[in-house]
């Protein structure tokens, strides 16, 4: 079912607004909690979502020394979330430590082990940013592939990538590796600050497992209608 493939971000500043959005879109089963909301509300929003039997993508993009990343993943795993993001650029030692810690945290709390997924390159960045600002000498597709392979070699379940790169990554990393794609925009919506976008149908065809679709739904005058229109487009 197309709806199961959509993750809707709760990119709002308060818990009250987040709850209102969840109640406005009861058919959505998978919600993303990012930095803004988590810093504002803390884990209470996770408790609310669990009580509503929703799946949770905790998108805090941990990026630190191995011991700190491991501690963060151990703590996050105790909330019973489904997906947790870690920056691939934290390095192999940190990624391996994160995976081990996530397993420990989940086992201590009695929840299933969450899937750790690595950020390859933020979808707000383009080839020029990579070369001129970050001084990375690789071409963008090669760089994201290297980051995805680093995550796979470190034992992580998947990666976050632009839908424009997912086809090549899928071919190299295989069918079992999970790919979550932000930067998904229906034909009728604004790109915003996303640089490397596909439509939902294009992203799924290219090999994405999950699509993160935010503003086209949440910033719409009629979020329910916008979601229905996206599902219809996905076929």
């Amino acid at each position: 079912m197309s709806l199961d493939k959509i993750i809707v971000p709760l990119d709002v500043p308060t818990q009250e607004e987040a709850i209102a959005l969840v109640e406005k879109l009861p058919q959505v089963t998978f919600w993303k909690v990012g930095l803004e909301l988590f810093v504002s509300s803390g884990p209470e929003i996770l408790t609310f979502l669990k009580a509503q039997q929703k799946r949770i993508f905790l998108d805090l993009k941990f990026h630190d020394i191995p011991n700190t990343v491991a501690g963060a993943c151990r703590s996050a795993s105790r909330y019973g979330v489904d997906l947790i993001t870690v920056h691939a650029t934290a390095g192999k030692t940190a990624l391996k430590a994160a995976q081990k810690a996530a397993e420990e945290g989940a086992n201590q709390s009695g929840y299933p082990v969450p899937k750790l997924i690595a950020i390859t390159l933020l979808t707000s960045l383009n080839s020029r940013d990579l070369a001129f600002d970050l001084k990375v000498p690789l071409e963008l597709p090669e760089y994201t592939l290297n980051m995805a392979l680093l995550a796979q070699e470190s034992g992580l379940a998947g990666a976050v990538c632009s839908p424009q790169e997912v086809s090549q990554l899928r071919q190299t990393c295989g069918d079992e590796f999970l790919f979550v794609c932000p930067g998904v925009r229906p034909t009728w919506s604004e790109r915003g600050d996303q640089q490397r976008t596909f439509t939902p149908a294009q992203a799924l065809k290219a090999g994405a497992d999950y699509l993160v679709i935010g503003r086209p739904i949440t910033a719409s005058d009629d979020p329910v209608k916008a979601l229905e229109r996206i599902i219809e487009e996905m076929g």
Side-chain angles (χ1 to χ4, degrees):
M1 185 182 173
S2 296
L3 182 58
D4 295 337
K5 303 254 180 202
I6 296 174
I7 301 174
V8 180
L10 287 168
D11 288 340
V12 290
T14 68
Q15 184 168 310
E16 290 73 27
E17 288 172 86
I19 290 171
L21 196 52
V22 172
E23 290 175 345
K24 193 179 287 184
L25 293 165
Q27 65 272 58
V28 173
T29 58
F30 214 150
W31 292 93
K32 179 171 90 76
V33 174
L35 282 166
E36 181 180 19
L37 181 58
F38 193 80
V39 170
S40 163
S41 74
E44 282 183 29
I45 189 61
L46 307 181
T47 305
F48 168 77
L49 291 169
K50 289 293 287 184
Q52 302 298 310
Q53 297 183 309
K54 304 297 186 183
R55 299 177 74 197
I56 303 170
F57 174 16
L58 187 61
D59 185 25
L60 301 183
K61 299 182 176 70
F62 297 132
H63 191 186
D64 214 308
I65 62 171
N67 191 56
T68 304
V69 170
C73 287
R74 187 179 295 107
S75 294
S77 299
R78 295 186 183 123
Y79 295 124
V81 300
D82 299 273
L83 300 177
I84 298 172
T85 44
V86 182
H87 271 285
T89 46
K92 187 179 281 189
T93 302
L95 296 179
K96 285 184 171 181
Q99 181 61 40
K100 185 179 179 213
E103 291 166 8
E104 291 168 358
N107 291 337
Q108 287 165 4
S109 60
Y111 283 118
V113 179
K115 289 179 165 47
L116 262 57
I117 54 175
I119 305 293
T120 54
L121 183 70
L122 298 173
T123 51
S124 57
L125 299 172
N126 59 28
S127 298
R128 182 179 174 80
D129 300 325
L130 189 69
F132 289 94
D133 294 345
L134 303 184
K135 310 299 182 191
V136 173
L138 301 177
E139 291 295 325
L140 191 148
E142 187 184 355
Y143 178 78
T144 56
L145 176 60
N146 283 342
M147 293 298 102
L149 287 172
L150 178 66
Q152 191 172 42
E153 290 162 9
S154 303
L156 270 64
V160 179
C161 67
S162 149
Q164 291 185 7
E165 287 99 56
V166 73
S167 178
Q168 180 201 10
L169 300 184
R170 172 64 69 206
Q171 287 174 22
T172 307
C173 296
D175 292 337
E176 298 303 310
F177 203 59
L178 194 70
F179 285 109
V180 177
C181 291
V184 177
R185 292 286 183 267
T187 51
W188 41 268
S189 73
E190 297 283 333
R191 282 202 332 181
D193 58 2
Q194 301 288 1
Q195 295 292 321
R196 307 185 329 269
T197 65
F198 265 19
T199 67
Q202 286 173 327
L204 286 177
K205 190 176 178 184
D209 292 291
Y210 293 105
L211 313 178
V212 180
I213 309 176
R215 279 164 285 189
I217 298 168
T218 57
S220 168
D221 293 335
D222 188 341
V224 175
K225 191 173 180 182
L227 178 61
E228 288 171 353
R229 191 174 172 189
I230 288 167
I231 292 167
E232 193 177 316
E233 273 189 30
M234 288 164 70

